[in-house]
Every structure is written in structure tokens, then in C-alpha cells.
């Protein structure tokens, strides 16, 4: 069965929708307009290092370098805190004293399934001047504190949103550790501290490196969090790119900043990869176990308290968070009676359904073709596939915006639903490929060849032999694509056009105007739907597992 032809359309796809958009970013960064003509120049990059005079004291300040430094500094602090707080969670859950660790890790990951804007918006209700914390302080006669619109609030929002990305890889690596190595160290007289520092932690470094990469990359470009919790007063590199493209209209300078950002991220990934390759009983135990459970409870409280606050205040009669005025369902009635929100919801669900279906089809076919390749060609295609996964999402958004504006301009049409849908398909395809490829490596090629030898057509062999074997990976890819589409804001923000709005864009515009009880109601509904979907998925997996065990016993 010849699978290689399946990869050729995908190569054309990735060249058109990944390579060309990035080349356009590089082109704009290396050109300036002089007398109406584009001229090759490094002026856009030189501007990043230019100094301007501070009107207050007359000193020179490097505005753009300071923004880049602030972005890196906040992302580094966020990453450090995620390691400090997330590693103990992964370590505790992977311990043998927690038989229900699978369920517990599930609860730590549930907030990830909620829209990132809703997760960030939740902290506005807690931190604002009349929010939960300041209202509690006022109740006890204590002075109110300024908790919003500063670096601390931005870092808090980053840690809250990205700490699950640290917990999961650390837990996965620690759960797979060879217990025999740990027991051998203990038998040789190593103390608990020595076992951890000399055995467990060094072996868990790959999980830590993976978590650091997954936290640092989105944190350094988290302009949504800085907009909502920083109030636009603390500009980060993501905000700077967004301003240059959408407000100032200086694509050249915005592209130069994007290229610098890509270089920073790729450099950090390279460094992390090199580090990864180079590392390769009694009453006291009872107290320690209680402390572990207390720590897990506190971290779960940290993750769920903002969501709980949103849900509770969605039933509050008053718009104010300073007092409870009585129970009401009017915000839910207004939510479903708001045509803007309902249209945004319909757009979100239709784009998620259509883009995940298209991405699953394209990604599955591409994965089958890639799996049949070998050597340098396969590494090249996989390298191109990983580009949308590795580079910052804001760079993907602005590069696709430039491409779409060129194409739509040539065709005489505007950006809108069609560009939003296509953009979601583009950034979802790599995740489907990465979900299907592991299953393809586990398939038995002999079964396919046997089916062909027995007279089955290639299409019959695919649908009756190959597809059933890789179906778990296909379903995982489809679910991941659907989830990413619903959660996405940045790519949607740059590619939707003026007349198209999904829930993420609508929530962002509403949140910038202040707390809105209808968003609280929307958050409660979305959280309930997420819990229901995850329950059904988990129930399905449990039923399938029992069925497989029963079939194994029969055999």
C-alpha cells in the first residue's frame, strides 16, 4: 500500500500556509518605504535599539528594549513560580500513596479546558477595587489595596493560566520512573533527601524542561493577560506587536519585533533541548502525607476559586461585587436574549466543528504519508509541521493576517468568517498529526499487506484495517482541535476581520469595558458543559477499558 502520495498535498499546504506567511513577516521586517517604494533596509531592527529622551528628566530611555526585557522578566518569574508550585504537585500525585492520582491530575487539568479569557477575566472579579478581596478587607475594617493593573497581577494571571502546563509533563515523567532504582538507593542507605536530589529530580529533568518550554513560550507573548490584568499600562512584547499591526499600521516594525520574538523563542527552545540531552514510614510519614494533601487542596483552591466566584456572582441580583443583593436568573435570561452573544456562540461552535473536521481529515492523511517517509525528508517535513507548534501564536496570527489581506485584496473580498475558519484549520492540523503519528508507529503493517494479498482494495484496507488501528489517535486529534478552536483568541483576533466575532473576541471587548454579569453567566454555563463533556469522555474510556479486559479474559 503506497502511502507517500498522501504527503504531497500536505507539503503544498504547509508551504502555502506556514512557510510563505513567515517569509512575508521576514520580508516586511527587512524593507522600509521610501518615496512610495519598498527598499531593503535594517532600519526596522535598528529602531528596536534606538533611545528616546525621557520628557521628565531628559535621560535617554530604550523604550522597545525595556518592553522586551519586561516581557522576558515577567515570563521568567512566571516560569520559576510554575516550577516551584507545579513540581511538588506532579511529585505528590506521582507518589505511590495516591492511588487516585489519575482522578486528581484530571481535576488539576480541568481549568485548561475553559476559555483562557474567561480564566483571566475571573481574576478581575477577585482583584478589582470592589472585588472579593477588597470587600473582605473592608468588612474587617482594613484598608483596601491596589491589586490590579500592576506586574504582580499580570504574573498572577500568567501562573494561574500556565501552571497546568508544568504539572502535566512533570507528573507524566515521574509516574514512569523505575521504582526499583529508588528502592535500590534507599536500600544502600540514602536518605529521603538524597534519594530526591540525586535520583528522582535528575531523572525528572526532561519533564521539567518540557514544562518550562510550555510555560515560558506563551508567557512571553501573553498580551491578553497584560491587557486585562495590567489595564494596558504595562506593555509587553505581544502588546507591542498588536499595536504596530492593528493600531499604528507599521507592518515593517511590527514584523521586525515578531522576528526578534521568534528568534528568542527558538533560541530558548534550543537551549532547553541541549540541557535536556545533557541531563539525561512512621509518624513522620503520616504528617508528611497530611502536608501533601493540604498542599494539593490549597493549589486546587487556587485554581478553582476564581471560577467559583464567577459562578456564584452569576446569580447575584446586583452588578456590584461588593455586596450580595439576592438570588436571580436574570443574567442568564439576558445572556440568551443577547443577539450579539448568541451570534458569537454560533460562530464559535460552527468554526470549531468545521475546522476540527477539516483539520482531522487533512492531518490524518498527512500523518499517514509522513509515517511512510524516512531520513532527511521526513525530518524536514516534521520540522515544518512543528513550526506552528513552536513559534509564538501571535506571530502565527499576524503572518496569516498579512497573507489573507494580500489574497483577499487580490480577489476583491474582505476578511471574515472564511479567513477565521481557514486560520483555525491551519493551526489545528499539526496537533492532529502529532496525535495520529504515535498510533501509526504502533500499527502492524503485516495486517495491511495481508488484507491486500487477500484481494482487498487499498480503500478497503484503509477503512477496515488501518483506520480502526489509529482511530484512538484520530479521535484524540479531533478533540484537541475542537478544544483549541473554542479556546483560541490570538489567531482569531488577527484573522476574523471587522464583521466576524467569536466568543473569545466578544469576551475580550466586553471585559475591557469592565465586569459584566452576563460574562459570569456565560462562564458558569461553559464550565458546566466542559465538566459534562469530560465526564462523558472519561465514561467512554472506562467502558472501553472494561470491554477490552472482558474480551481478554474470554480469549
Amino acid at each position: 500500500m503506497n502511502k507517500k502520495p498522501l504527503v504531497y498535498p500536505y507539503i503544498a499546504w504547509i508551504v502555502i500556509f506556514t512557510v510563505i506567511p513567515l517569509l512575508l513577516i521576514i520580508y516586511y521586517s527587512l524593507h522600509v518605504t521610501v518615496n512610495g517604494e519598498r527598499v531593503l533596509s535594517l532600519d526596522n531592527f535598528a529602531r528596536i535599539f534606538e533611545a528616546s529622551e525621557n520628557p521628565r528628566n531628559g535621560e535617554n530611555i530604550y523604550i522597545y528594549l525595556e518592553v522586551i526585557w519586561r516581557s522576558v522578566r515577567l515570563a521568567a518569574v512566571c516560569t520559576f513560580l510554575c516550577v516551584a508550585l507545579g513540581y511538588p504537585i506532579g511529585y505528590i500525585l506521582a507518589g505511590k500513596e495516591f492511588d487516585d492520582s489519575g482522578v486528581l491530575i484530571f481535576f488539576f487539568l480541568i481549568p485548561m479546558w475553559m476559555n483562557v479569557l474567561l480564566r483571566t477575566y475571573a481574576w478581575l472579579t477577585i482583584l478589582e477595587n470592589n472585588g472579593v478581596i477588597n470587600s473582605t478587607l473592608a468588612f474587617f475594617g482594613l484598608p483596601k489595596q491596589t491589586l490590579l493593573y500592576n506586574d504582580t497581577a499580570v504574573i498572577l494571571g500568567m501562573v494561574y493560566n500556565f501552571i497546568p502546563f508544568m504539572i502535566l509533563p512533570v507528573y507524566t515523567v515521574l509516574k514512569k520512573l523505575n521504582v526499583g532504582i529508588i528502592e535500590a538507593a534507599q536500600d544502600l542507605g540514602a536518605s529521603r533527601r538524597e534519594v530526591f536530589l540525586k535520583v528522582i529530580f535528575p531523572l525528572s529533568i526532561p519533564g521539567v524542561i518540557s514544562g518550562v518550554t510550555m510555560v515560558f513560550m506563551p508567557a512571553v507573548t501573553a498580551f491578553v493577560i497584560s491587557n486585562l490584568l495590567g489595564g494596558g499600562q504595562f506593555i509587553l512584547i505581544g502588546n507591542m506587536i498588536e499595536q504596530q499591526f492593528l493600531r499604528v499600521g507599521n507592518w515593517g516594525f511590527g514584523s521586525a519585533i515578531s522576528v526578534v520574538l521568534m528568534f528568542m523563542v527558538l533560541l530558548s527552545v534550543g537551549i532547553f533541548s541541549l540541557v535536556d540531552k545533557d541531563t539525561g514510614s512512621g509518624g513522620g510519614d503520616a504528617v508528611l502525607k497530611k502536608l501533601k494533601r493540604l498542599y494539593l487542596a490549597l493549589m486546587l483552591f487556587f485554581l478553582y476559586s476564581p471560577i467559583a466566584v464567577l459562578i456564584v456572582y452569576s446569580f447575584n441580583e446586583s452588578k456590584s461585587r461588593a455586596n450580595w443583593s439576592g438570588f436571580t436568573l436574570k443574567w442568564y435570561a439576558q445572556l440568551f436574549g443577547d443577539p450579539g452573544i448568541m451570534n458569537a456562540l454560533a460562530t464559535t461552535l460552527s468554526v470549531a466543528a468545521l475546522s476540527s473536521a477539516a483539520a482531522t481529515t487533512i492531518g490524518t492523511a498527512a500523518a499517514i504519508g509522513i509515517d511512510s517517509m524516512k531520513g532527511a525528508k521526513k525530518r524536514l517535513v516534521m520540522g515544518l509541521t512543528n513550526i506552528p507548534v513552536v513559534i509564538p501564536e501571535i506571530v502565527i496570527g499576524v503572518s496569516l493576517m498579512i497573507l489573507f489581506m494580500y489574497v483577499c485584496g487580490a480577489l476583491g473580498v474582505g476578511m471574515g468568517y472564511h479567513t477565521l475558519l481557514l486560520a483555525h484549520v491551519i493551526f489545528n492540523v499539526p496537533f492532529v498529526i502529532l496525535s495520529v503519528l504515535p498510533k501509526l508507529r504502533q500499527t502492524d503493517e503485516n495486517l495491511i499487506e495481508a488484507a491486500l494479498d487477500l484481494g482487498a482494495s487499498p480503500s478497503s484496507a484503509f477503512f477496515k484495517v488501518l483506520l480502526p488501528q489509529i482511530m484512538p489517535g484520530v479521535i484524540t486529534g479531533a478533540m484537541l482541535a475542537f478544544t483549541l478552536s473554542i479556546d483560541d483568541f490570538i489567531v482569531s483576533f488577527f484573522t476574523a476581520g471587522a464583521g466576524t466575532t467569536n466568543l473569545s473576541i466578544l469576551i475580550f471587548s466586553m471585559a475591557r469595558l469592565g465586569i459584566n454579569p452576563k460574562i459570569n453567566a456565560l462562564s458558569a454555563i461553559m464550565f458546566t458543559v466542559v465538566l459534562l463533556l469530560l465526564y462523558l469522555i472519561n465514561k467512554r474510556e472506562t467502558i472501553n477499558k472494561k470491554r477490552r479486559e472482558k474480551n481478554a479474559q474470554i480469549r
Side-chain angles (χ1 to χ4, degrees):
M1 184 175 179
N2 188 10
K3 304 174 186 176
K4 284 187 178 180
L6 291 173
V7 82
Y8 300 140
Y10 173 67
I11 293 175
W13 168 278
I14 204 166
V15 168
I16 295 172
F17 295 118
T18 299
V19 176
I20 291 178
L22 292 180
L23 290 177
L24 286 172
I25 288 281
I26 296 172
Y27 170 82
Y28 271 99
S29 70
L30 293 173
H31 287 78
V32 295
T33 302
V34 178
N35 297 326
E37 295 183 1
R38 293 204 167 274
V39 180
L40 185 65
S41 172
L42 293 175
D43 286 354
N44 290 317
F45 290 98
R47 185 179 172 188
I48 297 175
F49 302 93
E50 287 181 355
S52 58
E53 185 176 327
N54 190 331
R56 295 180 180 178
N57 53 27
E59 295 180 355
N60 287 334
I61 54 174
Y62 296 87
I63 298 176
Y64 304 115
L65 287 179
E66 287 185 4
V67 169
I68 293 174
W69 166 242
R70 182 186 296 122
S71 302
V72 173
R73 177 172 57 83
L74 294 185
V77 173
C78 166
T79 304
F80 172 79
L81 291 175
C82 285
V83 173
L85 297 173
Y87 188 95
I89 296 174
Y91 176 74
I92 294 170
L93 293 179
K96 59 184 178 182
E97 66 264 32
F98 284 94
D99 296 329
D100 54 353
S101 62
V103 177
L104 287 173
I105 195 69
F106 175 78
F107 280 106
F108 276 101
L109 298 180
I110 284 178
M112 287 176 56
W113 288 67
M114 276 194 70
N115 187 283
V116 63
L117 280 161
L118 291 178
R119 298 198 303 265
T120 306
Y121 169 84
W123 282 101
L124 288 174
T125 305
I126 296 176
L127 300 177
E128 67 166 344
N129 190 47
N130 292 322
V132 175
I133 294 179
N134 276 321
S135 296
T136 304
L137 292 175
F139 178 80
F140 289 103
L142 298 173
K144 292 184 177 181
Q145 303 296 317
T146 303
L147 303 174
L148 270 179
Y149 310 138
N150 50 48
D151 282 359
T152 303
V154 174
I155 292 173
L156 175 64
M158 288 180 177
V159 172
Y160 178 76
N161 278 285
F162 302 137
I163 194 171
F165 296 128
M166 179 62 66
I167 297 172
L168 183 59
V170 169
Y171 167 80
T172 303
V173 170
L174 290 174
K175 195 68 176 176
K176 294 179 180 179
L177 284 185
N178 188 343
V179 181
I181 298 176
I182 300 173
E183 292 176 347
Q186 293 171 339
D187 292 341
L188 291 172
S191 65
R192 180 178 293 167
R193 178 175 175 273
E194 289 173 330
V195 170
F196 175 77
L197 293 177
K198 296 183 178 181
V199 180
I200 296 176
F201 184 74
L203 291 176
S204 66
I205 287 295
V208 176
I209 295 300
S210 178
V212 167
T213 304
M214 294 170 66
V215 170
F216 182 81
M217 285 195 300
V220 80
T221 60
F223 85 91
V224 175
I225 297 174
S226 63
N227 262 336
L228 293 182
L229 300 183
Q233 301 178 30
F234 298 88
I235 304 298
L236 301 182
I237 191 169
N239 305 91
M240 196 158 57
I241 294 173
E242 180 250 341
Q243 289 176 358
Q244 293 300 320
F245 275 97
L246 299 183
R247 302 183 191 181
V248 180
N250 190 339
W251 287 12
F253 186 50
S255 296
I257 302 171
S258 301
V259 171
V260 170
L261 177 60
M262 278 194 293
F263 175 77
M264 289 167 49
V265 170
L266 293 175
L267 180 63
S268 63
V269 170
I271 293 173
F272 294 149
S273 299
L274 289 175
V275 173
D276 190 9
K277 290 177 182 178
D278 291 340
T279 57
S281 62
D285 288 338
V287 173
L288 184 61
K289 189 172 182 179
K290 290 180 180 179
L291 289 175
K292 289 179 179 179
R293 293 186 180 276
L294 176 61
Y295 181 73
L296 293 181
L298 290 174
M299 292 308 298
L300 284 172
F301 176 78
F302 171 69
L303 289 173
Y304 282 93
S305 56
I307 299 173
V309 168
L310 282 185
I311 294 174
V312 169
Y313 277 102
S314 70
F315 299 104
N316 188 12
E317 176 73 26
S318 171
K319 284 186 176 183
S320 172
R321 271 72 54 204
N323 56 73
W324 178 266
S325 303
F327 182 87
T328 184
L329 294 174
K330 71 177 182 179
W331 305 120
Y332 289 87
Q334 291 184 20
L335 172 68
F336 289 106
D338 190 322
I341 294 178
M342 289 297 100
N343 289 335
L345 176 62
T347 299
T348 300
L349 294 177
S350 63
V351 168
L354 293 174
S355 65
S356 59
T360 302
T361 303
I362 297 170
T364 302
I368 294 172
I370 293 171
D371 186 60
S372 65
M373 301 177 71
K374 295 180 180 180
K377 292 181 179 179
K378 183 175 183 177
R379 289 194 295 271
L380 175 62
V381 174
M382 284 304 301
L384 294 174
T385 299
N386 286 323
I387 287 177
V389 179
V390 174
I391 65 174
E393 191 177 2
I394 192 169
V395 177
I396 299 174
V398 296
S399 65
L400 289 177
M401 182 192 74
I402 294 174
L403 176 68
F404 291 159
M405 291 190 73
Y406 266 111
V407 175
C408 291
L411 297 176
V413 297
M415 292 172 59
Y417 185 90
H418 52 288
T419 54
L420 176 64
L421 175 60
L422 182 56
H424 279 231
V425 175
I426 291 167
F427 76 73
N428 276 330
V429 166
F431 293 98
V432 175
I433 293 174
L434 295 175
S435 299
V436 175
L437 275 176
K439 288 298 177 183
L440 282 167
R441 298 189 188 103
Q442 298 172 6
T443 58
D444 189 350
E445 285 289 335
N446 294 326
L447 293 177
I448 301 173
E449 296 300 328
L452 294 173
D453 292 341
L454 291 172
S457 64
S459 60
S460 297
F462 171 77
F463 285 106
K464 296 183 178 181
V465 180
L466 179 59
L467 187 59
Q469 293 185 77
I470 64 173
M471 186 55 72
V474 174
I475 294 175
T476 300
M479 289 171 50
L480 185 58
F482 187 84
T483 304
L484 289 172
S485 179
I486 288 181
D487 187 59
D488 176 73
F489 167 72
I490 294 179
V491 173
S492 302
F493 186 66
F494 285 98
T495 60
T500 305
T501 302
N502 63 6
L503 273 180
S504 294
I505 298 174
L506 182 66
I507 293 169
F508 182 67
S509 61
M510 292 173 67
R512 294 175 74 175
L513 300 176
I515 302 296
N516 190 317
K518 287 187 286 187
I519 300 182
N520 297 344
L522 179 63
S523 303
I525 292 172
M526 292 188 70
F527 183 69
T528 304
V529 171
V530 165
L531 282 180
L532 179 61
L533 287 175
L534 291 177
Y535 170 77
L536 293 175
I537 292 169
N538 188 59
K539 191 72 175 177
R540 176 180 173 275
E541 290 296 323
T542 303
I543 293 173
N544 289 340
K545 183 179 180 180
K546 291 181 178 179
R547 187 179 299 163
R548 288 194 298 268
E549 292 175 351
K550 185 177 180 180
N551 292 336
Q553 291 175 355
I554 294 174
R555 293 174 185 174

